[in-house]
Amino acid sequence: MEHLSSLCCSLIWLLLFQFYVGSSVVLYRQHHHNNNNNNPNHRSPILQGNQTSCSLFMGTWVYDETYPLYQSSSCPAIDVQFNCQLYGRPDTEYLKYRWKPANCELPRFNGLEFLLKMKGKTVMFVGDSLGRDQWESLICLISADVPKAQTQMSKSYPISTFKFLDYGVTISYHKAQYLVDIDTVQGKRVLRLNDIRGNANAWRGVDVLSFNTGHWWTHKGSSQGWDYIDDGGRMYEDMDPLVAMERGLRTWARWVDSNIDRSRTRLFFQGTSPNHYDSSVWNGGAATTSGSCYGETSPVTTTLLTGSTNPGMYSDQTNVVQTVIRDMDNPPFLLDITLLSAMRKDAHPSIYSGDLNSQQRINPNKADCTHWCLPGLPDTWNQLFYTALFY
């Protein structure tokens, strides 16, 4: 039975990766040397870069001594949660990996070019803490190229901003884990699947919007972000998370189609960011001693990503995102970072997070395998974002 179960899981993973890339993706490491449906009104996500000649999200992780593109000690924006070097991470090889698409080279990120092309404009990341991870990464990448620029930062709830004053560029993060609204009614948090007006007021007039949502829909117990769900006037204490996610995303999609002027606003949606709490996913179906990302120092090949159904959650969430986007009149560009991020089991804060106390930082069971170190993987997300914006 165990053999049969393992075989089934492997087949599931083969189908999953065919769904993502249509062919195998392999890791190359240079160590120190070197359907639409038939309705004509339904459209696939539009790549604003040159997708015909470059499959941005299918490729390899390459070891590159010129990385990282900045140092954590020189960036003014990194939260303690993501500052792995400051909190004692002893290894540095995870900083050295560069994403190389299978049939092209990504342009190297240029912070000055970003500011010049975005002069006088606004960028906003909207979503959960993974969006905050990416927001801080973008600030770090730009700041490294313009170290003498006059800046201004405000971190607050629900919107934090960073301004490059010499260029009139404002980059913001809006915390909105579900995108749709949450209200407090008689002391209870009510998630409104059909209402987005409160959050959406912050998005009007922004020149570049990048949305993400995913992790919070599956949280249970003390980490659940709501007490009740309001779906069309009916109140629920629980609901299938994928059903709730799709209904919330369709509310977001209707708002975007009705309110975003695509002639002036560039629109992105970030694919689901995977976590690495189940080491059987990349260890041939057998868990490592720690059972999670703790102690991991190098990426993984897709050929090893077998033996667990845990990533199937991300496949399901990806299906929801793609289905909703496909049905939109004005779909965003989908930054499909799920698979390339799934390979980076080495890039999480693990126990090297400032959110942990000294005792927790010696306990592998407290490892943060959801967020990402800075510098680190979100820099690649932003390199892809930069490529789609300008190339």
Side-chain angles (χ1 to χ4, degrees), residues 151-187:
T151 62
Q152 183 182 80
M153 180 168 59
S154 170
K155 288 189 176 183
S156 57
Y157 177 85
I159 298 177
S160 298
T161 61
F162 193 98
K163 297 181 179 181
F164 290 91
L165 299 175
D166 302 330
Y167 303 89
V169 175
T170 298
I171 303 174
S172 301
Y173 163 67
H174 181 195
K175 185 176 182 178
Q177 300 99 310
Y178 304 99
L179 302 182
V180 291
D181 293 347
I182 297 180
D183 297 328
T184 301
V185 180
Q186 297 180 346

Side-chain angles (χ1 to χ4, degrees), residues 224-299:
Q224 182 174 288
W226 48 267
D227 300 301
Y228 295 96
I229 291 179
D230 175 8
D231 184 21
R234 297 187 64 180
M235 303 292 284
Y236 299 88
E237 291 188 1
D238 199 9
M239 181 181 288
D240 183 304
L242 292 174
V243 172
M245 180 180 174
E246 180 171 353
R247 291 177 184 175
L249 270 179
R250 290 198 180 278
T251 297
W252 166 83
R254 286 191 295 271
W255 186 91
V256 167
D257 279 341
S258 300
N259 292 276
I260 295 295
D261 180 357
R262 296 301 300 278
S263 68
R264 68 148 296 177
T265 300
R266 298 287 295 275
L267 190 65
F268 293 82
F269 199 98
Q270 177 112 307
T272 306
S273 171
N275 63 42
H276 289 87
Y277 287 104
D278 183 0
S279 60
S280 66
V281 173
W282 62 85
N283 200 44
T288 61
T289 302
S290 69
S292 71
C293 70
Y294 172 78
E296 298 292 344
T297 58
S298 61

Side-chain angles (χ1 to χ4, degrees), residues 101-132:
N103 55 351
C104 63
E105 291 283 350
L106 290 177
R108 195 173 180 90
F109 188 93
N110 186 311
L112 179 59
E113 180 189 32
F114 188 100
L115 292 175
L116 291 174
K117 289 188 174 183
M118 292 298 297
K119 192 169 185 178
K121 297 185 183 297
T122 54
V123 179
M124 180 178 283
F125 295 94
V126 182
D128 58 30
S129 56
L130 282 309
R132 188 180 187 91

